[in-house]
Amino acid sequence: MTRRRRRRLSPGAWVGAALVLAGATASFRAAGAAAELDLRADELDAALAGESNALVRIDSLVFDVESPRRAREYRMTVVTILSVDGRDYGAVQVPYDRFRKLKSFDGRLLDAAGKKIRDLDDADISDFSNVDETSLYSDDRVRVGSLVHASYPYTVIYEYEIEHDGLISWPTWYPQRTSLPVERAIFVLRVPIGTEVRHRSLGIELEPVERVDRKRAETVWRAVALPYREEEEWGPAWSVQAPSILTAPAAFEIGGRSGSMSSWESFGRWYQDLHADRGTLPSDAFARVQEICRDAPDTQTKVARLYEYLQASTRYVSVQLGIGGWQAFEPKVVHAKGYGDCKALSNYMVAMLRAAGIDAFQALINAGTREQDILADFPSNQFNHVVVFVPLASDTIWLECTNSSIPVGYVGAFIDDRSALAITPDGGRLVRTPRSTAADNARVYRAHVRVDDKGGASATVTSVTTGVVRERVREAMRSGTAREREQWLEREIALSSFSISDIAFRDLDSARTQFQLDFQLEAPRVLSFSGERAFLTPNLLKDRSRVPPAMSERTQPVWLGSPWSEVDTLVYELPPGFSVESSPEPVHLETAFGRYDASIEEHGGNLHYRRHLSVDMDTIPADDYADFRSFLQAIAMSDHDKVALRK
Amino acid sequence: MVSWRGGARRRPAMTGGKRMRAPALLLLALFLDVSAAHGAKSQAAWNPIAPADFKSRDQVDDPDATAIILADIGSATFAGEFEVVMERGRRVQLLVESAYEAWGTVDIPFYAKDKHQRVSHIEGQTYRLTSGGTIERVQLDKKSIFVEDVLDGEYGRVRFTMPALSPGCIVEYRYTITSDSPAYLQEWQFQTSEPTLWSEFSAEIPVVLNYKIAIQGITQFDLDESAEGQWPLGLAYGNMAQLANIGTTTRRFAMRNMPALREEPFITTLDDYCARIRFQLSEYQFPGQAPEQFLPTWEELARNLMKDRTMGAQFGRKLGTRDIEKRARALTESVSDPEAKLQAVYDDVRTTIDWDGTHAVFADKDLDDLLISKRGSSAEIGLLLTDLLRASSIEAHPVLVSTRSHGSIVEVYPILSQFNTVMTYVKIGNREWLLDATDRHRPMNLLPFEGLNDRAWVVDADKPKWVKIARPGLRQRQIVVSAALAEDGSITGTLQAMNGGYSALRERHALDDVNGQRQSEDYVRDQWLKILENLTIESFEFGNREAPNMPLVVNCTFVTQPGSDGSAGFLLPAVWVKPVDQNPLNAAQRKFPIDLGCGIDEIYTLRLDVPEGLASPSLPDPIDYDLPGGDGGFHQRAFQNGSQIEVSSHLRLQRTLYKPDEYPALRELFEAAVAGHAQQLAIARADGVPEK
């Protein structure tokens, strides 16, 4: 094993932070680091610490830009661990890669009185490969430091320096990176005089202080006494909603390729230039495109055929190395190996479309079902994914090239309703992806249920799904084995004990917008008996009773992902000798969020249960939480309604 | 000069590696590089791919298969300075897309530290049967093979993905992994998570090396051959050189049509059920020299361990000056009863030393230091407990244990990597105990669930021995809900839940993550009263949180809002708290024994007062299910006594191990419990019908 280089930070590096942290005392400069700070752990701000297991004392980031390509990043985090359950907060993880070198990494452990116990040692450090689950390979690594002590409270200090050689973004600063309360947080952005600095605050009002010395201009933000953040159920992830300061360069350079981010147009041009020589198909692929498109009556058909060819012949495999994080494999590589990442597959698709004479562009997007839209008026690197944008005269087609099971042009919850940066020969241009409605994302169940006198049932069920619901169901049915399909359906249908058989599906063809699934269901117990009586919950196929807890003060919106609808029609054939003693009244709910209808009727000895739920919104504002919850609660009540039968 | 380190298999630093302490083999020999002449070993013969190979599905009756291993072939030979050269080749048909990740991408972990292992000669290809019946071949691109430093330069991984995958394609790859010591020749598994048509392993072993072979899960190989051969070896003694031909024996084993091995509930680890053959270097003998033991006997191992700095040598050192002795004295001086001493020492370690979450067999730290840092591995805590007891004049020995996920022990292998944790064996008079103090919530008579394996080995320098790990602990719970239903359908009630054994342990750990009033209330609601809707918790308390010898008690009072109309009556579940709502034994059949780890004893009682004019016109039917042999059962009863309705049920499983043929009865038992707990209580007005 190679010895790690161990080097103390030069005190000078900390001057920026020191000015703010210690009130610009000269002694701080001399002492370096945090020695002069009061880091006693036994006299904390109890109100701020609250019931938290740990408290962030200082979180400081100094980002020192030297040129469009180089920067030095200095970080210091100081955390006081208050109890055994907070111990995990005493660790720090520092990701690095080809463009981010970890120059130093130090730490100290302080006792309750703020006195040093020991320094971070090699035994406290591990260095891991940081290749994520979905990647085959990348050059990402992470160094993890972990300091623990046996008596509480104690304090850990970490200081590290990262050298950036290749910059495509400047930091997004989160004054509160986790739910822990924070005493003091500071962000210093330092640039050579004359360098354009762009910034934007999100979810927090902080006035930066600007300062200029002989060579450098500094912008400084600080935040103090940030209280513990309670998680709120069904709210956005903290990483999405945490207050932040975005910063961005105008001029940047990475992997030897420089560009400008002062406008979307210029950022798009940089990406376009990166792919200038990567648009050509190998000759056999070109010939294949011509063959596929022969006799196609119109452009839509060509796009559909080429997209289906892409789906059948490639799969998603991610490899991110150096500038390869930005620059796609060449089309010939994708063609030969049958795989690529999002940009490689998109670039390959664009090349095929162009070979067929169709104008198409790569488009950068911030994908994810639970992601915020980008800030459209703040040109910067806010993207994590690439799709294909095909502008046609009549219509615009979006192609998600990493999914082999969606119809051509399908825009799922992963990329819908947001801005994407289309990469055109004239540079970047923001274009919006379409939004779906409740009717687009539907799940329809039809079932005929024969109930026997032991309380068991045998049901013939048909499920038809569209939109995002179809995506889920079809994916599960398409890729697995027969047993996997059954297991998936068994999880989907939350009966306590039952078995599924004879699964048949049609419309598997990825080009179809709906997906039909037929199956047979045997449940040993749909009636629960109480002596002479038996009870039936007619809403058989899914328990949707989950209601988030009552909250007196909701601060976060509810994120539902997408609007959706559910339509159930179930007919029950009762066993001979059983009659209906009582059944619930019909329910009709109509709210701003959506509507719900449920009814049960007797027709010729059969019970007909109808249920229709439609939720039209994908985000519920925090202020409407109580009303939304009442809506869900009323639905849950109705979904649990029982019919009483008597022998 | 070569020194061999044994035991480096998957995670050498944890299971052995530097810790292995097998006597280092110091050869006085220098090997000349003559292996190259010998090196043209037969590549495992690969038949050319034929269209019929694409029909592997027809040869396997397994609807769950996502891939079929057509051939899995490994061969081990020796080269150079007794390096083990293992060649492995696999040919797999991928039936569906969901197999791409597991079988289309290949990971080869290796131990990179000091180049103990290296991976080379990787090649591979994907075959596809075209609609025209021809076979297309796409070769693995060498540039797409990645070598990853997984951790600290010690653990490496070679990773590649096969090109041009499509459902039904066949992938084939080969590689060589070379290890610097004969101790790395270890194991071949004949089963994977998918069916295997042919699995073959051969090893050409120089007669100078003697391996002990252990076979698991196979009564007869479909192929079991052996052949004699020669291996030219250059030896140097001091400054004399000599070329000798050493005899070799090649053993070749193969199994045909091996079924898939897949995860099921209530097992220890799948490795315990896998058909496999294991090799352990035990002895070597060079021409003209006496045989040398590589493996010690269990007795030698115990003696060595008791002298080792990381184990026995720590006990009783620096007599009279140690903190441990002072500590033991302080704890037990005023106690005369040995069992009371035992309890005092156990409780002291349990409450003052924090387990760092790692299992280990050797102590990294000095035990005196552990008293200061107050945090250590399972080895350090087990040894500290042993030492404190010894210092208190109680007979105590370290005990080596393999946790459930670490697997079972092969007794013919006196090697330490079979174990992964240390407990303490205590004997007072005729009574014996196994102790593990790594959890402050665990009473003395309860071992960690992970520790509930079959046997443990007592490291006694004079007389090491095996002891059976007793399993007296239960999942134990007694829940009583007393409630009153009001005219308007609202309910006022109290819950008392007494948790013992592993149930108490579970709740104590859950409570560790619960801070403050709001989280505590959420815990009571979500963990205990989830079934009731519109619930307000009025008060609650937890009893005996820090007294693990006592049951963990959850008490609470609650009210619910009035229900809907209720003109006809009310319908309520018969069990309100933690009902058995899923059968854990989902699969219709079972191939493996069922190892519950611990028994179950759970009693549920609901007493409900109903207002005047309301009654339950029909009570749920009684349920009685007993396992044949009487090791367990489920019983449920409902009574009405005046205005009070009582429903009580009892789920009990005494024995912890069941044979596969007992599976249907066990499954039916859980089914009876699910059915019983799903019953409803109808409470009707005199002439009405209940409604929710």
Side-chain angles (χ1 to χ4, degrees), chain B residues 9 95 138 145 147 212 266 328 364 384 390 396 443 457 473 497 514 626:
Chain B
R9 197 171 55 179
L95 303 173
V138 181
I145 298 169
V147 182
K212 279 190 178 163
F266 301 127
D364 275 331
L384 176 70
R390 289 177 163 216
W457 185 60
V514 169
D626 281 299

Side-chain angles (χ1 to χ4, degrees), chain B residues 54 92-95 100 126-128 164-171:
Chain B
F54 289 89
V92 184
Q93 184 175 24
L94 312 184
L95 303 173
Y100 288 2
T126 302
Y127 298 100
R128 191 173 73 89
L165 300 185
S166 57
C169 72
I170 293 176
V171 299

